[in-house]
Amino acid sequence: MPSSTTRFFAALFVGLLSSSLTTAQSYDTAHNATSLLGTWSSGSGSVLTGPGFANPVNFTFNYPPTTGISYSFTTETLSDGSDGYFEEAQYRFQGNGSRPTCIIGIVQWQHGTYTLNTDGSITLNPFAADGRQQVQDMCAAKSNVIQQFNQTTLFANWNIYQDTTKGYKLQLYRFDGAPLSPMYQVSTTPNMLPTELLTNTTVNTVIITNASSRRDTSILPMLGVAGTAMLMGLVAVL
Ligand SMILES: *[C@@H]1O[C@H](CO)[C@@H](O)[C@H](O)[C@H]1NC(C)=O
Ligand SMILES: *[C@@H]1O[C@H](CO)[C@@H](O)[C@H](O)[C@H]1NC(C)=O
Ligand SMILES: *[C@@H]1O[C@H](CO)[C@@H](O)[C@H](O)[C@H]1NC(C)=O
Ligand SMILES: *[C@@H]1O[C@H](CO)[C@@H](O)[C@H](O)[C@H]1NC(C)=O
Ligand SMILES: *[C@@H]1O[C@H](CO)[C@@H](O)[C@H](O)[C@H]1NC(C)=O
Ligand SMILES: *[C@@H]1O[C@H](CO)[C@@H](O)[C@H](O)[C@H]1NC(C)=O
C-alpha cells in the first residue's frame, strides 16, 4: 500500500513530467488539427504558391494586389529522408528607419524538400538553382533585376489550429521564435510548380529582364559587390 507521501511524490513527478513535456511541442489534435498537406496563405489570400506567382525558368514574377505569404506542402516521404516537397511565396514590404518614405518591396519564391525534425522544428531545403528574388525600392527607378535566391530555412516550431470561422490555420515560427503571419488552408491539394529542379541557373545569377532599361542600375547598391560585378558583366554583354 503506497503511503500518502509516496503518492504525493508520484503525483509531483507526473506533474513535472507533463509540464516538461508541454514545453516541448506536442502534436496533439489541439495543435495539429490536420496535416500540413495543401496550400496555405496569409491575410486576404492574394499571395499563393503555384504557377500564378513566379516563373523561375524565365525569371518573372506576377505581383499580387496585396502583400502576404504562402506555403504549400506535400506529405509523401522521399527516398532522401525528407518528409516531402515545399513551395514558398512571399511578397512583403520592408521599412527603412533612416528613409521612412522609402519602402522596399520584396518578392521571393523557392521550392525544394522539407523535413519535420524530432524537436518539432521544420527545415526547408531549397533546390538552390531555382529560387528567385526581386527587390523594388520605392525611391529608386523601377527595377527589372531578378536574382537567384537560395535560403535554407528553419522554422523553430509550428501549429495547426481550427479557427471556427476561417477553418484550418497554420502558425509557423521563425528560427528565433517570432511568429510569421498566420496562414489559412486555401486548398488541401498543394498548388505547386513541378516538384523537381526546374532550371539549371548558375549560382548568383542576376538577370535584367528588360535590357533597354539602363536606369535600372539604380538598384546596384542593394545587390552587393558580387551582384554588382555580375550585373556589370551582363550589362557589358548586352
Ligand atoms: C498532424 O495531424 C495529421 C492529421 O491528423 C497527421 O496525419 C500528422 O501525422 C500529424 N503530424 C504530426 C507531426 O503529428
Ligand atoms: C514567362 O513565362 C510565362 C509562362 O510560360 C509566360 O506567361 C510569360 O509571358 C513569360 N514572360 C516573359 C517576360 O517572357
Ligand atoms: C536604408 O537607407 C539607407 C540610406 O539610403 C541605406 O544605406 C540602408 O542600407 C537602408 N537600409 C535598408 C535595410 O534597406
Ligand atoms: C544554398 O544554401 C545552402 C545553405 O545556405 C548552402 O549550403 C548551399 O551551398 C547553397 N547552394 C548553392 C548552390 O549556392
Ligand atoms: C547543368 O549545367 C551543367 C553545366 O553546364 C551540366 O553539366 C549539367 O548537365 C546541367 N544539368 C541539367 C539538369 O541540365
Ligand atoms: C522594356 O522597356 C521599354 C522601355 O522602358 C518598354 O517600352 C518595353 O515595354 C519594356 N518591355 C518589357 C518586356 O517589359
Side-chain angles (χ1 to χ4, degrees), residues 61-81:
F61 278 104
N62 295 320
Y63 279 69
T66 55
T67 56
I69 60 174
S70 177
Y71 287 84
S72 286
F73 298 94
T74 70
T75 55
E76 72 266 35
T77 303
L78 310 178
S79 56
D80 71 352

Side-chain angles (χ1 to χ4, degrees), residues 25 27 31-32 34-37 40 72-78 80-86 112-125 153-160 170-173:
Q25 187 53 60
Y27 289 106
H31 299 97
N32 176 28
T34 190
S35 83
L36 285 168
L37 176 70
W40 304 82
S72 286
F73 298 94
T74 70
T75 55
E76 72 266 35
T77 303
L78 310 178
D80 71 352
S82 301
D83 287 276
Y85 297 101
F86 81 94
T113 62
Y114 75 94
T115 303
L116 294 173
N117 305 312
T118 51
D119 65 355
S121 61
I122 302 178
T123 309
L124 306 182
N125 295 298
T153 303
L154 178 74
F155 295 123
N157 193 8
W158 59 275
N159 296 128
I160 298 173
L170 170 62
Q171 181 65 66
L172 296 173
Y173 296 86

Side-chain angles (χ1 to χ4, degrees), residues 144 209-213 215:
N144 292 324
T209 54
N210 187 340
S212 65
S213 307
R215 65 197 173 98

Side-chain angles (χ1 to χ4, degrees), residues 1 6 11 24 40 63 96 102 117 130 139 152 159 171-172 201 219:
M1 198 83 179
T6 314
W40 304 82
Y63 279 69
N96 184 332
C102 296
N117 305 312
D130 283 356
C139 294
T152 303
N159 296 128
Q171 181 65 66
L172 296 173
T201 314
I219 203 155

Side-chain angles (χ1 to χ4, degrees), residues 3-25:
S3 72
S4 61
T5 313
T6 314
R7 275 195 303 252
F8 170 76
F9 280 111
L12 184 65
F13 178 72
V14 169
L16 288 174
L17 195 65
S18 61
S19 72
S20 76
L21 281 177
T22 50
T23 57
Q25 187 53 60

